[in-house]
Amino acid sequence: MDIYFSADIETDGSIPGPYSMLSFALVYAGHFDGYKFVRPTEYNKTFYRELSPISDKFEAEALSVNGLDREYLISNGTNPVDAMLDAYNWVQSQSQNGSPVFVAYPLSFDWSWMYWYFSNFCPKGSPFGHSRCYDIKTALAVKLNNPVAFSGKSSLPAEMKSNKPHTHNALDDAIEQAEIFANIFEWKNN
């Protein structure tokens, strides 16, 4: 059984390594046994951390988008080793006997950061392996018979949208994305 986790991150730059992931959230987003998808009744199974930066480099534009205080996080952010190990253990505890699957919109940005951080800082590696991931943007393209290039959030039909605002807080946005994921997964083209 697939156990889905909606993920969102906020960073201080464009790529992991030279720049830092400053916060991330994981939200239980449902499960699928190959026949039936079950969404949660509430999106209250969540994991959120703010991390201390791993380098001195940052892009001011990235910080202006997420509003995180990098100076504060230097002193008060969670050490990445602790954060990633806690996240790994949380995902495993929520997955029980299922296979955890990483969900994002679009997948490429969030996956590259989270996989890099799990690989570099978590002694257990990634709870999602090297490829258990689901791209909501691609799923939308398939459901709507659209090119991927025209499958951004602005092209979501009303019945697929979330009623949550997009705030650039990783937890808020992971919950919003979990709702979009479930709406797209369940959507039937009549």
Side-chain angles (χ1 to χ4, degrees), residues 4-168:
Y4 298 108
F5 295 91
S6 174
D8 190 73
I9 66 163
E10 298 298 332
T11 73
D12 66 7
S14 55
I15 58 171
Y19 300 105
S20 304
M21 183 166 64
L22 299 180
S23 69
F24 71 95
L26 299 163
V27 174
Y28 169 71
H31 62 271
F32 180 62
D33 64 5
Y35 300 99
K36 182 178 180 185
F37 171 75
V38 178
R39 74 164 66 207
T41 55
E42 293 182 80
Y43 294 95
N44 58 1
K45 294 180 180 177
T46 65
F47 182 92
Y48 176 78
R49 289 292 183 277
E50 292 182 354
L51 289 76
S52 56
I54 61 170
S55 79
D56 294 334
K57 291 182 72 172
F58 66 92
E59 296 171 349
E61 183 180 343
L63 292 174
S64 71
V65 169
N66 61 45
L68 291 166
D69 184 339
R70 193 173 189 284
E71 289 302 313
Y72 173 82
L73 293 174
I74 289 171
S75 301
N76 299 295
T78 303
N79 177 298
V81 173
D82 296 335
M84 302 319 290
L85 184 56
D86 289 349
Y88 180 98
N89 290 333
W90 182 82
V91 167
Q92 294 295 15
S93 74
Q94 298 302 308
S95 298
Q96 311 254 329
N97 295 325
S99 297
V101 177
F102 185 97
V103 174
Y105 194 157
L107 178 70
S108 56
F109 184 77
D110 299 271
W111 173 265
S112 66
W113 282 87
M114 289 293 288
Y115 186 73
W116 191 90
Y117 264 71
F118 276 123
S119 296
N120 282 278
F121 297 113
C122 182
K124 297 180 179 180
S126 171
F128 306 103
H130 68 277
S131 64
R132 282 193 314 271
C133 50
Y134 188 105
D135 182 23
I136 299 172
K137 187 173 188 174
T138 301
L140 178 65
V142 170
K143 288 276 186 161
L144 297 180
N145 199 29
N146 277 351
V148 170
F150 298 110
S151 298
K153 286 184 183 175
S154 63
S155 66
L156 281 169
E159 63 269 21
M160 291 183 185
K161 291 181 179 178
S162 168
N163 61 8
K164 305 275 191 278
H166 191 80
T167 65
H168 291 287

